[in-house]
Amino acid sequence: MSTDLLGTAPVPALLDYHLVGVGAPNPTVEGILVEEFTRHHDFTTTGLDSAAWTPAVGWWSAAALSRGMRTDPEVLARVLPASRQRAEAVYRALGGGQLPGETVLRTHFRDHQPIATTAPLRLGPAHPPAGFHERRVYRVLFVKDLDAEQMTSLRTAWRTPADCPSGSAASGRRDTGTEQITWELRRVGRHLAWGLDLTALLSTDATEAVGSTLAELTTVLRGHGLIPVTTERFS
């Protein structure tokens, strides 16, 4: 399956970029926030590093801001996910000059935030279907919301069928011959968040396709305005 089904996403940046200060009724941009999740070998989240920059202060620890935008609706309303290219333009426009490369940006990460993890829960059949070596189920949690235009764009990019599963806002699939990967986006947590549920059927021990698909889908959803919180595994 071509990457078009993932939403024609660019190659994901290693770091996540956000604009800070965006909000109604007078939208402005005051600075940028840079984040990076740390992960287990199975792609589940173990922690989060972050730093923010504003013209008056320069670079500062953004641990409180990173936590706040995932728990406080008022803080969340003032943060918007962005591409590195957009962050570069904002950094330059606010007088920062050339945005440093990602290796340099990591030197501003000072307050690592651990994210508690548990052993994978069993969700679904204990054994994969015939012909497959392993079955994995993941959920990537997101905050913020999607408007009607963004949802239509996402459903079109993923070629979501009209009869997609009940409760699913958008869905898609990728079949490489050795891996069969399907995903659904749905409301979770009393409609306070979005969950990207991904099921991977693997015919070999190679799991690279799982990690790359999770990364690409997360990039697509960030491009549609959602902010990732954590990646969990259920089997």
Side-chain angles (χ1 to χ4, degrees), residues 7 12 14 45 57 62 68-69 76 89 98 113 128 140 150-152 169 175 181 192 195 200 206 215 227:
L14 295 179
T45 304
V57 179
M69 74 182 194
L76 177 62
Q98 182 67 36
Q113 303 176 68
V140 186
Q150 290 169 324
M151 184 60 70
T152 298
D175 192 339
I181 302 176
L192 299 177
I227 294 176

Side-chain angles (χ1 to χ4, degrees), residues 13 15-18 33-34 80-84 87 99 102 105 222:
L15 304 183
D16 289 342
Y17 299 85
H18 307 78
L33 168 67
V34 182
L80 182 71
S83 65
R84 176 173 170 94
L99 182 66
E102 297 194 331
L105 290 177
R222 288 190 75 257

Side-chain angles (χ1 to χ4, degrees), residues 36 71 75 87 95 119 150 217:
E36 183 174 38
T71 57
V75 177
Q150 290 169 324
L217 291 172

Side-chain angles (χ1 to χ4, degrees), residues 6 16 26 32 41 50 65 106 111 153 166 190 213:
L6 299 177
D16 289 342
N26 300 308
I32 63 172
H41 62 85
S50 62
L65 175 59
R106 287 188 181 89
D111 297 313
S153 170
S166 175
R190 297 185 179 180
T213 302

Side-chain angles (χ1 to χ4, degrees), residues 11-220:
V11 175
L14 295 179
L15 304 183
D16 289 342
Y17 299 85
H18 307 78
L19 307 184
V20 180
V22 180
N26 300 308
T28 58
V29 180
E30 301 168 359
I32 63 172
L33 168 67
V34 182
E35 296 184 323
E36 183 174 38
F37 286 101
T38 54
R39 303 183 186 278
H40 279 303
H41 62 85
D42 67 350
F43 317 115
T44 53
T45 304
T46 62
L48 179 63
D49 291 296
S50 62
W53 177 89
T54 52
V57 179
W59 289 100
W60 43 277
S61 171
L65 175 59
S66 290
R67 287 192 300 269
M69 74 182 194
R70 291 172 170 88
T71 57
D72 186 334
E74 292 186 4
V75 177
L76 177 62
R78 301 185 66 250
V79 179
L80 182 71
S83 65
R84 176 173 170 94
Q85 290 74 20
R86 177 65 175 138
E88 287 174 335
V90 167
Y91 189 78
R92 188 165 50 248
L94 293 177
Q98 182 67 36
L99 182 66
E102 297 194 331
T103 299
V104 175
L105 290 177
R106 287 188 181 89
T107 65
H108 299 293
F109 294 162
R110 297 187 177 90
D111 297 313
H112 179 72
Q113 303 176 68
I115 296 176
T117 59
T118 60
L121 302 173
R122 177 62 60 186
L123 184 64
H127 301 288
F132 292 99
H133 168 77
E134 184 181 8
R135 177 181 183 271
R136 291 191 179 191
V137 178
Y138 290 87
R139 170 169 286 175
V140 186
L141 288 175
F142 295 86
V143 291
K144 228 166 172 64
D145 214 343
L146 296 168
D147 60 29
E149 183 177 349
Q150 290 169 324
M151 184 60 70
T152 298
S153 170
L154 191 61
R155 289 174 62 90
T156 300
W158 287 355
R159 301 181 190 174
T160 301
D163 59 346
C164 66
S166 175
S168 175
S171 62
R173 64 182 291 122
R174 163 183 275 176
D175 192 339
T176 68
T178 56
E179 298 94 10
Q180 186 181 102
I181 302 176
T182 58
W183 58 88
E184 301 175 19
L185 181 70
R186 62 179 69 238
R187 284 288 199 178
V188 296
R190 297 185 179 180
H191 305 297
L192 299 177
W194 289 95
L196 174 69
D197 293 340
L198 180 146
T199 300
L201 299 177
L202 310 176
S203 60
T204 70
D205 290 330
T207 60
E208 292 84 356
V210 177
S212 62
T213 302
L214 283 167
E216 291 174 48
L217 291 172
T218 299
T219 297
V220 168

